[in-house]
Amino acid sequence: MEAVVEVLESEGVDTVFGIPGAAILPLYAALQNSSIRHITVRHEEGGTHAADGWARVTGNVGVCIGTSGPAGTNMITGLYTALADSIPMICVTGQAVTSKLHQEAFQAVDIVEIAKPVTKWAVQLKEPAQAPWLFREAFRVARSGRPGPVLIDLPLDVQRGSCRYDRALDAPLPVEVPRPLPKAVRAAMDLLEEARRPIILAGGGVIIGDATEELRALAEHLQVPVQVTLMGKGAFPEDHPLFAGMAGIQTQTRWGNAAFLESDLVLAVGARFGDRHTGDLDVYRRGRKFVHVDIDPMQIGRVFEPDLGVLGHARPVLAELRDEARRRGKPQEPGRWPRRVAELRGTMGRRDDFEDVPIKPPRVFKEINEYFPRDTTFVTAIGLYQIWSGQFQTTYLPRRYLVCGQAGPLGWEVPAAMGAKLAHPERQVVAVVGDYSFQFLMEEVAVAAQYRVPFVIVMINNEYLGLIRQAELPYGMNYAVDLHYGEGGIDHVKAMEAFGCPARRVELPGDIRDALAWASAEAADKRLPVLVEVMVEREANAAMGPSLEAVKEFEPLPELITADWSD
């Protein structure tokens, strides 16, 4: 286990999240004399999400540790979340001694088989001599190709063994960065040149691949508008003239959907065409060609067959497209298509300036956008508040907007925000939560309080399972989703105070800004998480629909102004 800890250190791991138990104590004995900081979480799922948040902002492999039995099963949701969003992570579990694994020993469960469907690799260490080399391979697997999680199961007797290991003679394994075929790059550029209304769709792979500079250079040279997926928020600054919004059936902008529907070519980079992005595929695909760039060959054609598939890492693909564009000509001047996208942006927004009481949720995001600096790291999870966040929040930098996009586990935000803040203490971190999601893993607030991890929590509280209440509307029901009881359900201010953390409730729109300023100052001064609980309209609905052309709006909108922009 001392060799394992040396591998962790050499791989750049400075923080691990976990809960000690009898079956993992040899590893903990090695950890205590290392340079690695251990954060004792209150639930193993919280530990996985904290490691996930740490990994998303650092780009390195997050690590979560637990004992045998329920510790491993508690990690499954976090492993699934990391797999779904391509986040490199290693979960380490203790295990009963190998001689007892077939005898139903205490807390002995076949966690390797349980974890296989939600990991890139799940493995049990069989021999002490393999320990450092197995962990080296785990880091390589977690980082390679489409990144993802690995689970390593450590039987107690194997942990107690010894091995020969010299750290000076070992180093992290190389990770391949696959380059595209030159002829595939030329074919993609041919399609871009032929198109009259192309867009680049930047998915989470652009951020994971650290390819945002190459993306911007290509877009600016060709003057091609850029859209982002939810996982791609931050890949392209949203105040850039070429930013074309976000298309989707839930997290979307009106003008983003309009621009997408007017496009005739989509260059999708590191995007998986998720169903909440595409909606009805006939509408999504009609009238346009697709070039799909991905590092994972099994992603191309998985949802629909593109006109061209390009296999490769996002950074070299975008760099070589940029270089090919430069070889073919000088930088383009803004044409009619970018001007049309700008026109859509100026005429197809959504209101966020409501003065209503109870507070309308878009107003909360207006205040968030205007108060917090552009380099703030935001963390959000799943529910109506995530959808409003995707529709209204502005993002400018990579690894500053963290969202569990595909798996959508409630409770993700607080531990993920803690992991993000521990990775970058100098950055301001804000978790945007729903009242129900907060309650899922609210015990992790105690961890942030214990270790003095300061961040702001903004709660959108409608006392409902809001997204499910809205999903029930076509069924004509409002069933099993109302969380209200007494005078206001759970008193989250008192709950935070019970953890030793400040909190404030806001019920008037004009008070939101001052509350955000107070929370930021309190978090910095007290070195604690601080809650701003915003009571919003209980049955407010978010704009969504079955297809890009059939999104239903629930709030008054500015009028659409049209202009003649055709060639």
Side-chain angles (χ1 to χ4, degrees):
M1 292 301 96
E2 292 170 352
V4 166
V5 171
E6 290 192 4
V7 169
L8 295 178
E9 289 175 324
S10 71
E11 294 282 358
V13 176
D14 60 20
T15 305
V16 297
F17 305 86
I19 302 175
I24 195 67
L25 288 183
L27 176 56
Y28 272 82
L31 270 175
Q32 70 172 339
N33 299 316
S34 74
S35 64
I36 297 173
R37 170 178 47 180
H38 180 276
I39 304 297
T40 302
V41 295
R42 298 302 186 266
H43 190 288
E44 290 88 357
E45 182 185 342
T48 62
H49 297 331
D52 183 344
W54 187 92
R56 290 181 194 237
V57 296
T58 63
N60 201 357
V61 181
V63 176
C64 178
I65 304 173
T67 189
S68 58
T73 57
N74 285 343
M75 294 178 181
I76 295 299
T77 297
L79 288 166
Y80 164 43
T81 304
L83 182 71
D85 287 349
S86 306
I87 305 303
M89 182 169 71
I90 293 176
C91 286
V92 183
T93 55
Q95 182 58 276
V97 296
T98 52
S99 63
K100 294 290 185 181
L101 294 182
H102 66 292
Q103 295 179 352
E104 298 184 351
F106 177 67
Q107 291 190 339
V109 67
D110 192 347
I111 192 62
V112 169
E113 287 301 317
I114 292 171
K116 280 182 178 178
V118 291
T119 57
K120 290 184 72 178
W121 187 35
V123 61
Q124 185 178 90
L125 179 65
K126 303 292 187 183
E127 297 291 340
Q130 289 186 299
W133 318 114
L134 186 146
F135 271 80
R136 282 289 187 216
E137 176 65 1
F139 276 92
R140 188 196 67 79
V141 170
R143 293 186 177 114
S144 295
R146 183 182 177 184
V150 172
L151 179 129
I152 303 175
D153 192 38
L154 302 177
L156 188 55
D157 55 323
V158 182
Q159 289 181 65
R160 290 172 175 155
S162 62
C163 67
R164 294 186 179 91
Y165 180 72
D166 185 345
R167 180 172 178 173
L169 301 178
D170 187 29
L173 297 175
V175 175
E176 183 185 6
V177 180
R179 308 185 73 86
L181 291 173
K183 58 187 176 183
V185 171
R186 292 192 294 271
M189 187 56 60
D190 290 343
L191 288 171
L192 278 168
E193 288 185 337
E194 292 167 7
R196 296 175 59 218
R197 300 179 300 280
I199 62 170
I200 300 173
L201 177 65
V206 174
I207 294 175
I208 293 168
D210 294 321
T212 56
E213 292 184 8
E214 289 79 3
L215 168 67
R216 183 166 178 168
L218 174 65
E220 290 177 345
H221 184 90
L222 294 176
Q223 286 298 300
V224 173
V226 177
Q227 291 200 341
V228 295
T229 66
L230 182 64
M231 291 298 298
K233 273 182 75 70
F236 199 79
E238 295 186 17
D239 56 353
H240 193 286
L242 288 172
F243 181 63
M246 180 189 294
I249 60 172
Q250 289 187 345
T251 51
Q252 30 72 22
T253 56
R254 292 179 66 223
W255 59 284
N257 276 357
F260 189 95
L261 291 171
E262 291 186 16
S263 71
D264 62 1
L265 175 75
V266 176
L267 171 63
V269 183
R272 59 180 180 82
F273 298 117
D275 53 344
R276 293 200 305 160
H277 164 66
T278 65
D280 182 276
L281 284 172
D282 289 337
V283 173
Y284 185 82
R285 299 177 64 190
R286 185 175 62 223
R288 61 196 57 85
K289 295 181 179 180
F290 288 86
V291 178
H292 189 186
V293 176
D294 208 285
I295 196 170
D296 182 357
M298 298 307 295
Q299 284 295 318
I300 298 174
R302 186 172 191 168
V303 177
F304 62 84
E305 186 175 14
D307 296 270
L308 175 65
V310 179
L311 189 63
H313 188 286
R315 190 170 62 251
V317 171
L318 287 168
E320 293 186 28
L321 282 169
R322 174 204 62 204
D323 294 344
E324 179 67 18
R326 288 172 176 172
R327 282 192 291 270
R328 295 190 183 196
K330 296 179 180 179
Q332 300 292 309
E333 295 296 325
R336 300 183 72 84
W337 173 231
R339 291 198 298 271
R340 170 59 176 165
V341 171
E343 178 197 24
L344 292 172
R345 181 175 192 164
T347 58
M348 293 190 69
R350 290 189 174 104
R351 285 189 58 197
D352 60 5
D353 58 350
F354 300 101
E355 296 288 345
D356 304 56
V357 177
I359 298 168
K360 287 190 176 292
R363 175 61 184 269
V364 183
F365 293 99
K366 170 182 168 65
E367 301 296 342
I368 288 173
N369 287 335
E370 293 179 357
Y371 176 75
F372 290 106
R374 62 189 287 125
D375 63 348
T376 300
T377 300
F378 291 100
V379 184
T380 193
I382 182 65
L384 284 180
Y385 63 98
Q386 181 216 65
I387 296 171
W388 284 314
S389 172
Q391 292 176 356
F392 290 98
Q393 263 191 274
T394 49
T395 311
Y396 307 98
L397 297 168
R399 302 189 187 277
R400 298 304 200 286
Y401 186 87
L402 314 185
V403 57
C404 47
Q406 202 253 51
L410 290 164
W412 186 80
E413 312 97 314
V414 167
M418 179 172 62
K421 183 67 176 180
L422 285 165
H424 283 289
E426 77 284 1
R427 294 182 185 173
Q428 181 154 23
V429 175
V430 178
V432 179
V433 309
D435 51 307
Y436 194 57
S437 184
F438 177 78
Q439 294 164 24
F440 257 62
L441 288 170
M442 63 191 296
E443 74 278 356
E444 302 307 320
V445 171
V447 182
Q450 176 183 350
Y451 292 95
R452 316 296 284 190
V453 185
F455 54 93
V456 174
I457 305 169
V458 180
M459 178 186 291
I460 313 296
N461 188 353
N462 56 12
E463 298 182 86
Y464 256 116
L465 304 185
L467 180 56
I468 308 308
R469 178 200 56 76
Q470 184 170 341
E472 288 184 352
L473 292 177
Y475 296 88
M477 66 185 195
N478 185 317
Y479 179 67
V481 292
D482 194 338
L483 304 178
H484 177 83
Y485 65 91
E487 295 185 2
I490 291 178
D491 189 331
H492 295 100
V493 172
K494 289 184 178 178
M496 287 290 290
E497 290 172 350
F499 288 120
C501 300
R504 180 180 291 184
R505 175 175 284 188
V506 175
E507 296 182 346
L508 300 175
D511 293 340
I512 299 172
R513 184 75 60 91
D514 287 345
L516 296 179
W518 167 83
S520 297
E522 281 287 283
D525 180 56
K526 302 288 197 310
R527 308 302 296 171
L528 291 168
V530 179
L531 171 69
V532 175
E533 179 185 27
V534 185
M535 306 304 292
V536 300
E537 180 185 343
R538 294 202 65 217
E539 296 192 3
N541 295 312
M544 62 181 77
S547 73
L548 301 191
E549 64 183 11
V551 171
K552 182 177 180 180
E553 302 287 339
F554 292 90
E555 302 292 352
L557 295 169
E559 281 189 31
L560 172 63
I561 303 172
T562 60
D564 182 11
W565 63 279
S566 59
D567 291 333

